[in-house]
């Protein structure tokens, strides 16, 4: 009996953890990135943003919403030690609230994958939402009701994809922050002229990784009905896959989150939405969509990224003490 084929809209390296889980459940995973990030033609604004964060002259938040943004910062950094310099800017004053004196840089990350990407360069994180890894999730659990009671302007530096919504930027401005939004990377059809590769994507030689399909092959497979399911990892990838394509009615669709689910619904597709943007949760969603068994807890512990609803872990050694006592639903480090 032929295994059910599942397409993941990521490059094979990024899709490898999910592919391994799907293979254990008897599915045949394949991957197609469709799009890939590249640095913008003008990188000077991003370079200036990184310099401002590293030498912040007043209370400042650096808001990092993807691991790709971390790769972009590394690509424009003046030295390989940029992460250590950035972390040094946040550590000395992390025990003090801004109104008590010294300037403070704090770093917010959208989720655990971004926390890990920052950690690879030695950058600690002060806040990560506990429930939903998204801009809306960050705003919902943001640790400050008022940025600075003393009247000092608090900066929020937000390097993001050119395609990112203004959810975080608008929300922070409404709360009184002086927000600087800078394009960290563009998302373009493969192959990009200047592909942006992060540390996790640097090695694509894993023979156990999923088969890679080109964009045309992925669209043809989507239309022909040979795919049992498609895992869509971003609204832009939904558009890239389905542009000019009528998908087979027999294919099940899985969305990594609600924004991606909305993009699919606008095209007449009703997807199963993963509970969290992790390999284990996506694999569970595939199983639900195809009527297969969901993962055991042991399997989840072996392969999953930490779920966004997990209890707050003890902060690692590279993480500074929290500047504010966290609410029960926050991870404010």
């Amino acid at each position: 009996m032929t295994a059910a084929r599942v397409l993941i809209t990521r490059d094979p390296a990024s899709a490898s953890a999910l592919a391994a889980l799907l293979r254990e459940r008897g599915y045949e995973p394949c991957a197609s990135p469709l799009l890939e990030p590249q640095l913008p033609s003008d990188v000077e604004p991003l370079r200036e943003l990184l310099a401002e964060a590293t030498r912040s002259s007043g209370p400042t938040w650096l808001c990092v919403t993807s691991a790709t943004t971390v790769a972009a910062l590394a690509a424009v950094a003046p030295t390989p030690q940029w992460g250590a310099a950035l972390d040094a800017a946040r550590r000395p004053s992390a025990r003090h609230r801004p109104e008590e004196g010294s300037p403070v840089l704090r770093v917010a990350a959208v989720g655990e994958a971004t926390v890990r990407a920052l950690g690879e360069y030695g950058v600690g994180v002060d806040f990560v939402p506990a429930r939903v890894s998204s801009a809306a999730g960050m705003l919902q659990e943001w640790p400050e009701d008022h940025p600075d009671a003393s009247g000092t302007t608090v900066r929020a530096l937000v390097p993001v994809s050119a395609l990112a919504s203004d959810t975080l930027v608008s929300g922070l401005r409404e709360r009184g922050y002086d927000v600087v939004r800078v394009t960290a990377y563009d998302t373009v059809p493969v192959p990009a002229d200047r592909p942006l590769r992060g540390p996790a994507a640097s090695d694509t030689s894993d023979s156990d990784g999923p088969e890679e399909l080109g964009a045309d092959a992925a669209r043809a497979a989507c239309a022909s009905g040979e795919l049992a399911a498609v895992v869509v990892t971003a609204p832009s990838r939904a558009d890239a896959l389905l542009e000019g394509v009528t998908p087979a009615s027999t294919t099940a669709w899985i969305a990594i989150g609600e924004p991606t689910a909305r993009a699919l619904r606008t095209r007449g597709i009703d997807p199963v939405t993963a509970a969290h943007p992790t390999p284990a949760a996506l694999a569970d969603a595939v199983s639900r969509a195809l009527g297969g068994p969901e993962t055991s807890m042991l399997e989840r512990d072996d392969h999953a990224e930490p779920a966004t609803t997990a209890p707050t872990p003890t902060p690692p050694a590279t993480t500074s003490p929290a500047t504010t006592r966290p609410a029960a639903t926050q991870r404010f480090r």
Side-chain angles (χ1 to χ4, degrees), residues 14-164:
S14 300
S16 60
L18 174 56
L21 289 175
L22 294 176
R23 198 176 287 115
E24 288 177 3
R25 301 180 190 206
Y27 302 120
E28 179 191 347
C30 55
S32 181
L34 299 164
L35 305 171
E36 62 182 340
Q38 69 176 16
L39 286 172
S41 56
D42 181 8
V43 300
E44 195 56 32
L46 182 61
R47 188 174 286 124
E48 291 175 357
L49 179 143
L50 179 58
E52 179 177 352
T54 305
R55 301 190 302 267
S56 54
S57 59
T60 302
W61 280 95
L62 175 63
C63 304
V64 187
T65 58
S66 72
T68 303
T69 296
V70 180
L73 291 170
V76 304
T79 71
Q81 290 75 39
W82 70 273
L86 187 64
D87 196 61
R90 58 176 283 275
R91 284 188 288 106
S93 54
R95 284 188 170 88
H96 305 285
R97 294 187 60 78
E99 60 268 24
E100 292 176 350
S102 59
V104 57
L105 171 71
R106 286 171 287 179
V107 178
V110 72
E112 292 298 335
T114 305
V115 171
R116 288 195 298 274
L118 286 164
E120 290 186 22
Y121 292 100
V123 182
V125 171
D126 300 286
F127 166 70
V128 57
R131 289 177 292 184
V132 180
S133 297
S134 69
M138 292 178 80
L139 281 174
Q140 185 176 15
E141 300 181 42
W142 193 256
E144 295 177 323
D145 291 329
H146 304 286
D148 198 304
S150 69
T152 302
T153 299
V154 180
R155 300 272 273 178
L157 309 178
V158 187
V160 290
S161 162
L163 297 177

Side-chain angles (χ1 to χ4, degrees), residues 53-320:
T54 305
R55 301 190 302 267
S56 54
S57 59
T60 302
W61 280 95
L62 175 63
C63 304
V64 187
T65 58
S66 72
T68 303
T69 296
V70 180
L73 291 170
V76 304
T79 71
Q81 290 75 39
W82 70 273
L86 187 64
D87 196 61
R90 58 176 283 275
R91 284 188 288 106
S93 54
R95 284 188 170 88
H96 305 285
R97 294 187 60 78
E99 60 268 24
E100 292 176 350
S102 59
V104 57
L105 171 71
R106 286 171 287 179
V107 178
V110 72
E112 292 298 335
T114 305
V115 171
R116 288 195 298 274
L118 286 164
E120 290 186 22
Y121 292 100
V123 182
V125 171
D126 300 286
F127 166 70
V128 57
R131 289 177 292 184
V132 180
S133 297
S134 69
M138 292 178 80
L139 281 174
Q140 185 176 15
E141 300 181 42
W142 193 256
E144 295 177 323
D145 291 329
H146 304 286
D148 198 304
S150 69
T152 302
T153 299
V154 180
R155 300 272 273 178
L157 309 178
V158 187
V160 290
S161 162
L163 297 177
S165 74
D166 265 340
T167 299
L168 184 59
V169 169
S170 299
L172 291 176
R173 280 182 179 150
E174 289 174 0
R175 298 184 188 202
Y177 290 84
D178 177 19
V179 182
V180 178
R181 171 179 171 146
V182 168
T183 297
Y185 60 94
D186 298 316
T187 304
V188 298
V190 292
D193 293 332
R194 303 178 304 280
L196 183 61
R197 302 293 186 189
S202 58
D203 181 8
T204 58
S205 60
D206 182 4
S207 60
D208 292 330
E211 174 193 0
E212 182 171 4
L213 301 184
D216 289 342
R219 294 186 188 103
C222 181
S224 69
E226 67 181 83
L227 299 173
V230 179
V231 178
V232 186
T233 58
S236 57
R237 296 183 193 274
D239 293 339
L241 178 62
L242 293 169
E243 189 63 38
V245 171
T246 301
S249 60
T250 55
T251 301
W253 292 80
I254 294 86
I256 194 170
E258 186 53 35
T260 302
R262 286 196 299 270
L264 290 170
R265 291 188 198 108
T266 63
R267 293 179 174 272
I269 295 170
D270 186 20
V272 172
T273 304
H276 308 289
T278 63
L282 285 165
D284 284 349
V286 171
S287 292
R288 289 199 305 274
L290 296 180
E294 294 192 14
T295 182
S296 68
M297 185 57 66
L298 177 61
E299 181 182 88
R300 185 186 304 276
D301 290 344
D302 286 344
H303 297 282
E305 297 178 35
T308 56
T309 54
T312 302
T314 301
T318 57
T319 301
S320 300

